Amino acid sequence: MSTIYLNTVIKADIHYVFDLARNIDLHQQSTSISHEKAIAGRTSGLIEKNETVTWRAKHLGVYQNLTTKIVSMEKPFQFIDVMQKGAFKSMRHRHIFKSVNGNTLMTDIFEFESPLGIIGKLFNAVFLRTYLKNFLIRRNEMIKTIAESSVRDGIAIF
């Protein structure tokens, strides 16, 4: 199993950042490079505990579907989504939020395992881990930009 840890400090309220992180519409904007679209389950707005979303996206030149379910949510501190169906052997993404000196520390713990045994492990080590980390970094940069510009401008966007 591979694990990606990311910490992002955002100069905005924890409640706002939490909502941005679970906003389906914002997720689609932040993943436009892979043409990611919500096609089933919750397809817009804020995803909630026990809801699913099926994403269709082009990764590595191939369109794929991935269905995840929010299995845990403690507003505004954490939520966890787990793959129900998709290309991974397993996938679990824990989103953690903590107020620190008026800022929000957003932590991603993304655990995944590829199919195909040793070939999948090699693919993870050589390519997939870096690809997914960069994918998450782009998403987090958009959350940060929107949250911080909203605070500066005194508006809520989404």
Side-chain angles (χ1 to χ4, degrees), residues 38-136:
I39 61 168
R42 170 68 90 160
T43 58
S44 66
L46 302 179
I47 196 160
E48 299 287 349
K49 184 177 179 185
N50 294 321
E51 290 185 327
T52 63
V53 59
T54 299
W55 300 101
R56 179 159 179 77
K58 189 174 187 179
H59 292 287
L60 311 175
V62 178
Y63 275 97
Q64 303 173 37
N65 290 352
L66 174 76
T67 301
T68 60
K69 180 178 183 179
I70 304 297
V71 297
S72 173
M73 184 176 289
E74 183 185 343
K75 295 177 185 178
F77 304 108
Q78 66 89 20
F79 67 94
I80 299 170
D81 57 286
V82 175
M83 184 189 78
Q84 303 292 297
K85 187 176 180 183
F88 293 105
K89 183 175 180 181
S90 66
M91 189 221 68
R92 182 177 189 258
H93 188 178
R94 187 168 179 205
H95 309 255
I96 303 165
F97 306 84
K98 183 177 181 183
S99 287
V100 179
N101 299 324
N103 298 322
T104 299
L105 173 62
M106 182 173 71
T107 301
D108 290 274
I109 303 172
F110 188 85
E111 301 168 302
F112 65 98
E113 188 173 1
S114 295
L116 306 175
I118 191 73
I119 294 170
K121 288 180 183 180
L122 183 61
F123 184 66
N124 285 355
V126 171
F127 179 76
L128 189 58
R129 187 176 189 289
T130 300
Y131 176 83
L132 290 171
K133 183 175 181 179
N134 289 334
F135 182 83
L136 293 170

Side-chain angles (χ1 to χ4, degrees), residues 12-13 15-17 19-20 23 26 46 145-158:
D13 177 72
H15 293 87
Y16 187 50
V17 174
D19 285 348
L20 288 173
N23 185 288
L26 175 60
L46 302 179
T145 298
I146 289 173
E148 291 180 352
S149 66
S150 298
V151 169
R152 183 184 63 244
D153 299 339
I155 56 173
I157 302 171
F158 66 85

